[in-house]
Amino acid sequence: MALQPWCWLEVLVTIWPDDYEGGWTLAQSVTRKGVGLHTGKQVEVRLSPTEKAGFHLSWINKTDAPITLSADQIRNSPLCTTLDLGEYRLSTVEHLFAALAGVGLTHVHFEVSGEEIPLLDGSSRCWIEAIQEVGILPTNTPPKKRPELHHPLLINRGQSLISAIPAKSFKLVGMIDFSYKAIGQQMLAIELNPKNFVKEIAPARTFGFIDQIEELKKSGLIKGGALDNALVCNGDSWLNPPLRFKDEPIRHKLLDLIGDLALVGFPKAQILVYRGSHALHADLAAALLKDCSPD
């Protein structure tokens, strides 16, 4: 029997927009603190409303002017997505960006105290809870135009591939194929909107493999990883069940894709991704920047 999302989701879905067409910002500021996955350091993030379209970043206790974020700042880095901001870098942004864009927010100012976004529970759920805590409001200024895809795109990296074709709405099809029996082959198709993002995608947690942990630690990664912020696969089973969905891994893969496309904007397209990665998502984001024009 398929596992069902947690009951808190049934309350949240009533507050979200119906689609990604309008402009939305936070009603008030809200703060979350937590540990960075790779640095292992405590970080604070403060999300605030703004009437300026887009996502805008500044640092707590610094006087630098806010930086307006764009997709050309995205850099692929091991196991996460990083923003290259000249003097500064900010890593592991994908779960926060998935939450913001996934619920339809288009105007957000956020401040951070460190160089990595905290992992929290390994999904976008805690960010959704933070947004719901303060609520969202329609903006008085229009959002940035969504990209319109005029012809198909196909990109591959080795055995991994991602394609996009024009469509009337934002549709995702994800497929994964792991040799680990606990995961195996999984596929999920979804026509995305804020309500089903919250219900079907946001709670899905990041996952890793016990046989890779020591090597990653030797490489200076996952210093903040723990059983309460990531699913850990031990081949035939999970070290920290239960799963929130029977197919939680593919749902998290789509969460990462959503976060990695947040700065481009969700195209009116059907996107199919097989064995996705942050590097492959970055390739698609770059192609969308190059080949799409605003509608």
Side-chain angles (χ1 to χ4, degrees):
M1 182 174 67
L3 301 176
Q4 297 300 315
W6 289 6
C7 62
W8 64 274
L9 294 168
E10 301 304 323
V11 177
L12 290 183
V13 296
T14 61
I15 75 167
W16 309 115
D18 292 327
D19 53 41
Y20 295 114
E21 298 300 328
W24 295 87
T25 192
L26 296 160
Q28 300 178 52
S29 296
V30 63
T31 299
R32 288 293 185 269
K33 299 178 182 179
V35 174
L37 171 61
H38 298 301
T39 63
K41 296 179 180 179
Q42 283 284 335
V43 189
E44 177 179 344
V45 176
R46 182 183 304 132
L47 306 175
S48 298
T50 178
E51 282 296 321
K52 186 176 180 182
F55 295 169
H56 313 278
L57 169 66
S58 57
W59 274 263
I60 295 173
N61 299 324
K62 292 184 183 293
T63 59
D64 304 65
I67 299 171
T68 298
L69 302 182
S70 61
D72 58 9
Q73 298 161 338
I74 294 173
R75 301 290 181 269
N76 174 55
S77 50
L79 300 182
C80 70
T81 295
T82 296
L83 298 179
D84 184 347
L85 305 167
E87 182 181 353
Y88 304 110
R89 292 173 70 87
L90 183 64
S91 298
T92 321
V93 299
E94 56 271 19
H95 300 171
L96 171 59
F97 283 8
L100 298 177
V103 300
L105 286 168
T106 57
H107 298 55
V108 181
H109 176 223
F110 67 102
E111 302 164 87
V112 299
S113 64
E115 58 193 31
E116 185 177 22
I117 298 295
L119 186 60
L120 302 179
D121 77 339
S123 74
S124 290
R125 189 187 76 172
C126 295
W127 298 114
I128 299 295
E129 291 173 335
I131 296 166
Q132 192 211 14
E133 185 178 303
V134 296
I136 65 176
L137 296 171
T139 58
N140 295 316
T141 55
K144 293 180 178 179
K145 301 256 183 160
R146 294 174 64 185
E148 182 181 359
L149 187 65
H150 298 293
H151 56 83
L153 296 173
L154 178 63
I155 302 164
N156 73 284
R157 279 181 173 252
Q159 295 182 327
S160 301
L161 64 86
I162 192 165
S163 67
I165 59 174
K168 293 182 178 180
S169 58
F170 185 42
K171 302 178 181 179
L172 299 175
V173 180
M175 295 182 285
I176 54 175
D177 184 3
F178 283 91
S179 59
Y180 301 91
K181 186 177 178 181
I183 302 175
Q185 296 177 330
Q186 297 182 10
M187 182 176 76
L188 182 70
I190 186 169
E191 182 170 344
L192 203 72
N193 60 55
K195 294 179 181 179
N196 62 24
F197 170 79
V198 169
K199 184 175 181 179
E200 304 292 345
I201 303 296
R205 294 162 290 176
T206 191
F207 60 96
F209 308 98
I210 195 168
D211 57 357
Q212 298 177 6
I213 289 176
E214 287 306 315
E215 189 64 32
L216 291 172
K217 287 184 175 180
K218 287 179 183 178
S219 300
L221 302 171
I222 66 168
K223 295 176 183 177
L227 292 178
D228 61 355
N229 60 26
L231 289 168
V232 180
C233 180
N234 188 22
D236 291 349
S237 61
W238 297 94
L239 292 185
N240 49 343
L243 274 63
R244 294 175 179 173
F245 305 91
K246 184 178 181 180
D247 56 354
E248 192 165 350
I250 185 57
R251 292 173 190 258
H252 185 80
K253 284 289 191 178
L254 290 182
L255 185 154
D256 281 343
L257 173 61
I258 291 164
D260 290 341
L261 294 181
L263 294 182
V264 180
F266 296 154
K268 294 178 180 178
Q270 178 172 292
I271 296 174
L272 183 149
V273 57
Y274 172 66
R275 299 178 66 174
S277 66
H278 293 298
L280 192 65
H281 304 164
D283 289 344
L284 177 62
L288 289 171
L289 277 178
K290 178 180 179 181
D291 296 335
C292 292
S293 63
D295 57 14

